[in-house]
Amino acid sequence: AYSPYVEAYTAGIVSKQSVIRVQFASDVALLAHSADNEERSLFSISPAIEGKTYWEDERTIAFKPTKDLNPSEVYSVTFKLGSVAKVPSELKNFEFQFKVVTPAFQIAYDGLRSSNSTSTDRMTFSGVMSLSDHENPSKIEELLWAEYEGRRIRINWTHHLEDNTSQFE
């Protein structure tokens, strides 16, 4: 019933840093709106989250949460479609759901190798940690540690936040 009015919306499993969007079909008669901030309360989200509503372009309205969404949480959204578009009264509220990624990680070890070509008494152990979602580098570094003869060994990290991977050695 909503397909003549709504072309796309946030659905499925999303990142905890996602923006919630509704994109209108190209032939929808949109009511007047501001180009920047949207002052009307158009999104009702459960469980409740704080954020800001704004127009990304002429056909896309977005809600950007103030904080990260709760991992593994299912959110139910009611969007007041009738407040922004001319729709039949039975379609004035558009309801949808999405789920936030469940945190998980996987480690692929590169193995143990000599630290340099001239010495066999210093070894390096390395690998890559892949995460299911964005995470703060300091929290990533808490997931893995190394000990040798009862002492903690410093791990060197290189974080690649764009693809949710972190290399270590």
Side-chain angles (χ1 to χ4, degrees):
Y2 289 97
S3 61
Y5 308 102
V6 176
E7 189 169 279
Y9 56 94
T10 300
I13 300 175
V14 302
S15 169
K16 66 183 178 180
Q17 296 179 339
S18 288
V19 173
I20 302 162
R21 292 181 177 88
V22 175
Q23 183 178 13
F24 305 102
S26 60
D27 57 352
V28 172
L30 292 175
L31 304 173
H33 60 80
S34 165
D36 295 324
N37 285 346
E38 176 57 65
E39 299 299 324
R40 296 174 287 183
S41 179
L42 299 173
F43 288 90
S44 175
I45 303 169
S46 178
I49 53 176
E50 293 183 20
K52 177 182 169 184
T53 301
Y54 62 96
W55 289 88
E56 288 187 336
D57 57 42
E58 290 183 10
R59 299 270 174 220
T60 308
I61 192 164
F63 179 86
K64 180 167 179 52
T66 306
K67 298 178 186 175
D68 285 351
L69 299 170
N70 295 328
S72 305
E73 187 79 62
V74 174
Y75 287 90
S76 296
V77 181
T78 300
F79 177 72
K80 296 177 185 169
L81 182 60
S83 295
V84 296
K86 293 179 182 175
V87 297
S89 61
E90 66 272 11
L91 302 179
K92 67 180 182 176
N93 289 323
F94 175 59
E95 296 178 355
F96 58 98
Q97 290 185 327
F98 61 89
K99 182 178 180 179
V100 181
V101 171
T102 299
F105 67 93
Q106 181 176 10
I107 298 176
Y109 301 109
D110 295 334
L112 192 60
R113 66 184 191 288
S114 177
S115 290
N116 59 49
S117 62
T118 61
S119 172
T120 58
D121 64 337
R122 295 194 53 89
M123 304 294 283
T124 300
F125 187 78
S126 62
V128 176
M129 182 182 294
S130 301
L131 294 105
S132 62
D133 200 2
H134 302 287
E135 194 55 72
N136 183 315
S138 64
K139 289 192 177 212
I140 294 169
E141 294 176 14
E142 291 174 6
L143 295 173
L144 181 73
W145 66 92
E147 288 184 10
Y148 180 71
E149 294 182 346
R151 291 190 348 234
R152 266 219 173 161
I153 300 171
R154 192 178 113 243
I155 297 176
N156 296 316
W157 290 92
T158 304
H159 301 287
H160 304 282
L161 301 178
E162 63 282 353
D163 67 356
N164 298 330
T165 62
S166 293
Q167 292 176 301
F168 61 88
E169 62 176 34

